[in-house]
């Protein structure tokens, strides 16, 4: 179900709790909300729909992806980026990395590890920042 976008900065600055398989409905809502905002948003974290759980969803080269409890294992090739966010007004500069290695869990709690680069890597980094309460 499409959810309203959270704009409360106090809520967005809170660190998200680990996600479990029981949080699958949050992931479904997150994907529905992301799809409904296509054209103005390429990734979302669960706190952007009012759920402080470690789940992100984003557009990747091969379609939409979701990650439960993602964490970056390795970063390389730093660069300065300028990003916007559906929960915030305007854009901000931030440091990102062109190449990242991410570990996450599927909704069935199976661990995955994969390398990402370029635009997809940047989206993932932005959404993982949300999970830590970092607002960019």
């Amino acid at each position: 179900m499409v959810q309203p976008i959270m704009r409360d900065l106090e809520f967005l600055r809170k660190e998200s709790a680990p996600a479990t398989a029981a949080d699958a409905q949050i992931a479904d809502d997150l994907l529905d909300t992301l799809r409904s905002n296509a054209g103005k948003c390429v990734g979302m974290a669960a706190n952007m729909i009012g759920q402080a759980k470690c789940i992100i969803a984003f557009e990747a080269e091969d379609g939409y992806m979701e990650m439960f409890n993602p964490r970056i294992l390795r970063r390389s090739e730093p660069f300065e980026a300028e990003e916007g966010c559906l929960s915030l007004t305007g854009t901000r500069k931030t440091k990102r990395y062109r190449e990242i290695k991410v570990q996450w869990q599927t909704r069935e709690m199976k661990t995955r590890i994969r390398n990402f680069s370029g635009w997809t890597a940047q989206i993932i980094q932005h959404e993982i920042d949300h999970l830590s309460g970092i607002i960019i």
Side-chain angles (χ1 to χ4, degrees):
M1 174 183 287
V2 175
Q3 300 295 323
I5 302 302
M6 172 61 68
R7 298 186 195 290
D8 181 330
L9 294 182
E10 187 175 324
F11 180 83
L12 292 169
R13 285 190 175 110
K14 292 180 182 176
E15 191 167 338
S16 295
T20 68
D23 296 317
Q25 184 60 54
I26 295 171
D28 290 341
D29 290 349
L30 191 59
L31 284 164
D32 289 345
T33 306
L34 177 58
R35 285 183 183 108
S36 77
N37 284 283
K40 57 184 171 181
C41 183
V42 292
M44 296 184 78
N47 65 352
M48 293 175 67
I49 60 167
Q51 299 291 330
K53 290 290 191 158
C54 288
I55 305 170
I56 66 172
F58 56 94
E59 286 184 37
E61 295 83 14
D62 50 354
Y64 288 101
M65 280 189 73
E66 64 184 27
M67 294 179 172
F68 285 54
N69 306 311
R71 63 185 181 101
I72 297 172
L73 302 176
R74 184 180 42 88
R75 301 168 171 88
S76 62
E77 299 183 48
F79 70 99
E80 186 176 288
E82 188 167 337
E83 300 175 352
C85 181
L86 200 56
S87 289
L88 307 170
T89 302
T91 61
R92 287 145 215 78
K93 292 184 189 242
T94 188
K95 182 179 181 180
R96 294 292 182 220
Y97 296 85
R98 294 188 200 290
E99 304 277 337
I100 59 173
K101 183 176 194 173
V102 181
Q103 177 179 306
W104 76 95
Q105 293 170 306
T106 65
R107 62 175 54 211
E108 296 82 20
M109 296 292 110
K110 294 182 192 260
T111 300
R112 301 285 187 253
I113 298 175
R114 182 173 158 189
N115 294 317
F116 294 90
S117 61
W119 179 236
T120 303
Q122 186 175 345
I123 296 166
I124 293 168
Q125 291 168 81
H126 180 100
E127 303 316 330
I128 288 176
D129 278 354
H130 268 293
L131 301 179
S132 299
I134 298 168
I135 298 174
I136 300 297

